[in-house]
């Protein structure tokens, strides 16, 4: 699922499941979803307005996805997909649970909302998380991922969430090590991505950035090709490349304009063609970043990347390449907030009026106390699994980190420690102008 202010991308697919040793797993069956998947049949995709009338329609026999054009900005629609005349997803469906495979626990949410036009000051709320793709069947890490996914689902059911931002490491290798379930095949994505967020991504767009576990930085295979395929990156951002709003070869850089208030800028901070140079150092990508930040008239410009420029640890340091070469660019163009993953905890810091949030515990977790508060400008931290709720208004950004939610409970903001040891659970507010 993806939307613009006048169009929607709708995609469909599935997995072939098999029982093995008393449990269920997705089996290798070729390309079962994604841009390269074999067509399931002749498909008709219709987008319906509030009165049930067809507002847009697309027909394809070659793909399992279609763009529907001619929609109105900032408008909620419903959609349906017919494959060879039969409604897609209307048959018997199953969901994975820790106790086994069972009947789907809720119906699909077949609706969408287009983005506001660039001139419309439409308040926006979105979710963000990083370092989550461990697989909900993977022990303690998986239990954390499932609990945070439950938080996201509860929030999306209660709040007008528009989309989800991924802060990298959408899929890790399996418990067997660097060669195991790396994300290079469709079946690797069942319990790591599509099952835990099934009832979010049926109606919300997911905007990713590349992490070190999505590339060859830390795994035996580079998952970028599969990431591009399964998340339809070239289908979604190829037209933006032509319009100068993305550059995806090499790296993953794009801008997402949501009304007059917000422009998100995806920055690829993984290694480039060889270690020692990052994709943001490549001259073409550097030029694109300078143009993007320089010509944006959005009220808020928010770059997001996997690796943080500033980080108190305990595992990772600040990234001097970003501090030296990207942060001055951000400051020059009025950026007030950066979003990152990578460190497996929560951190909020401020360096010279530039706020940043590290959200790298969507599944992974490091509970150890960070040790470089002064260097990173740390204001608060927490070693707790979480996601972010980000609210965008004309004069402020409000960021609230929510922790894992047990079954039957409601989401609760996490308690964060300040460097002096005091505790807060107040939302983080970034104002357009300094107080």
């Amino acid at each position: 699922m993806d939307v613009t202010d006048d169009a929607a991308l709708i995609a469909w697919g599935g997995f072939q499941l098999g029982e093995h040793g008393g449990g269920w797993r997705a089996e290798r069956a070729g390309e079962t979803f994604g841009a390269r998947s074999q067509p399931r049949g002749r498909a008709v995709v219709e987008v319906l307005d509030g009165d049930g009338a067809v507002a847009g329609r697309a027909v394809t026999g070659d793909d399992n996805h279609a763009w529907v054009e001619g929609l109105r900005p900032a408008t909620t629609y419903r959609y349906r997909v017919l494959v060879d005349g039969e409604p897609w997803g209307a048959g018997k469906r199953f969901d994975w649970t820790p106790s086994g495979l069972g009947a789907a626990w809720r119906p699909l949410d077949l609706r969408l909302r287009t983005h506001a036009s660039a001139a419309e000051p439409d308040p926006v709320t979105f979710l963000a998380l990083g370092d989550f793709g461990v697989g909900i069947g993977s022990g303690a890490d998986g239990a954390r991922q499932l609990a945070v996914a439950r938080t996201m689902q509860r929030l999306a059911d209660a709040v007008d969430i528009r989309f989800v931002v991924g802060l990298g490491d959408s899929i890790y290798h399996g418990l067997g090590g660097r060669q195991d379930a790396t994300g290079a095949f469709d079946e690797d994505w069942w319990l790591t991505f599509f099952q835990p967020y099934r009832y979010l991504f049926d109606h919300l767009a997911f905007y990713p950035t590349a992490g070190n576990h999505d590339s060859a930085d830390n795994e035996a295979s580079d998952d970028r090709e599969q990431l591009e395929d399964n998340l339809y990156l070239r289908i979604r951002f190829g037209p933006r490349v032509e319009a100068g709003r993305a550059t995806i070869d090499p790296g993953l850089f794009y801008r997402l304009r949501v009304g007059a208030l917000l422009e998100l800028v995806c920055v690829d901070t993984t290694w480039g063609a060889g270690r020692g140079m990052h994709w943001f150092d490549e001259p073409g990508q550097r030029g694109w970043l300078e143009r993007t930040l320089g010509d944006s008239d959005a009220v808020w410009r928010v770059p997001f990347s996997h690796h943080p420029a500033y980080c108190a640890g305990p595992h990772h340091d600040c990234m001097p390449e970003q501090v030296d070469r990207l942060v001055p660019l951000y400051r020059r163009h009025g950026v007030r907030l950066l979003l990152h993953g990578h460190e497996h905890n929560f951190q909020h810091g401020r360096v010279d009026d530039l706020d940043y949030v590290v959200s790298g515990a969507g599944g992974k977790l490091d509970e150890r106390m960070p040790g470089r508060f002064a260097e990173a400008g740390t204001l608060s931290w927490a070693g707790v699994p979480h996601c972010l709720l980000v609210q965008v208004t004309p004069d402020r950004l409000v960021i609230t980190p929510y922790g894992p939610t047990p079954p039957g409970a409601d989401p609760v903001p996490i308690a964060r420690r300040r460097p002096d040891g005091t505790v807060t659970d107040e939302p983080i507010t970034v104002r357009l102008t300094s107080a």
Side-chain angles (χ1 to χ4, degrees), residues 91-96 101-108 198-199:
K92 194 171 184 180
R93 297 180 298 106
F94 298 91
D95 284 326
W96 184 92
L101 201 65
W105 68 279
R106 64 185 285 167
L108 295 172
R198 181 178 194 179
Y199 300 108

Side-chain angles (χ1 to χ4, degrees), residues 274-319:
R275 287 185 178 269
M277 178 175 169
H278 297 275
W279 287 125
F280 60 75
D281 287 318
E282 197 275 331
Q285 314 301 44
R286 172 72 186 197
W288 181 87
L289 278 171
E290 291 177 346
R291 292 190 302 274
T292 292
L293 292 169
D295 69 15
S296 176
D297 62 354
V299 173
W300 296 98
R301 293 166 293 283
V302 180
F304 67 103
S305 66
H306 182 59
H307 303 85
Y310 300 104
C311 183
H315 188 63
H316 299 292
D317 297 316
C318 297
M319 187 174 177

Side-chain angles (χ1 to χ4, degrees), residues 262-284:
L262 178 65
E263 185 152 56
L264 289 162
V265 181
C266 176
V267 181
D268 194 331
T269 54
T270 60
W271 289 115
R275 287 185 178 269
M277 178 175 169
H278 297 275
W279 287 125
F280 60 75
D281 287 318
E282 197 275 331

Side-chain angles (χ1 to χ4, degrees), residues 1-8 67 71-77 112-120 122-126 161-165 203-207 236-237 240 254-260 262 264:
M1 164 71 67
D2 197 2
V3 295
T4 68
D5 62 353
D6 62 0
W67 279 103
L71 306 180
R72 297 189 303 273
T75 301
T76 299
Y77 296 94
L112 59 90
R113 188 183 192 278
T114 51
H115 294 321
S117 67
E120 189 174 353
D122 187 32
V124 178
T125 301
F126 64 92
I161 303 296
R162 301 293 176 78
F163 51 85
V164 180
V165 171
H203 67 287
L204 298 177
F206 175 72
Y207 296 108
R236 298 164 68 186
F237 301 130
R240 300 184 195 193
Y254 60 90
R255 59 197 296 186
L256 173 66
R257 182 65 178 259
V258 186
L262 178 65
L264 289 162

Side-chain angles (χ1 to χ4, degrees), residues 97-169:
T97 69
S99 59
L101 201 65
W105 68 279
R106 64 185 285 167
L108 295 172
D109 188 350
L110 302 182
R111 61 188 165 98
L112 59 90
R113 188 183 192 278
T114 51
H115 294 321
S117 67
E120 189 174 353
D122 187 32
V124 178
T125 301
F126 64 92
L127 296 170
L129 80 166
D131 302 76
F132 52 91
V134 294
I136 54 177
S138 299
D141 284 351
R144 285 190 290 267
Q145 182 184 8
L146 185 60
V148 173
R150 190 179 296 116
T151 298
M152 296 169 68
Q153 189 69 62
R154 297 278 197 276
L155 290 171
D157 288 345
V159 180
D160 183 18
I161 303 296
R162 301 293 176 78
F163 51 85
V164 180
V165 171
L167 300 174
D169 287 354

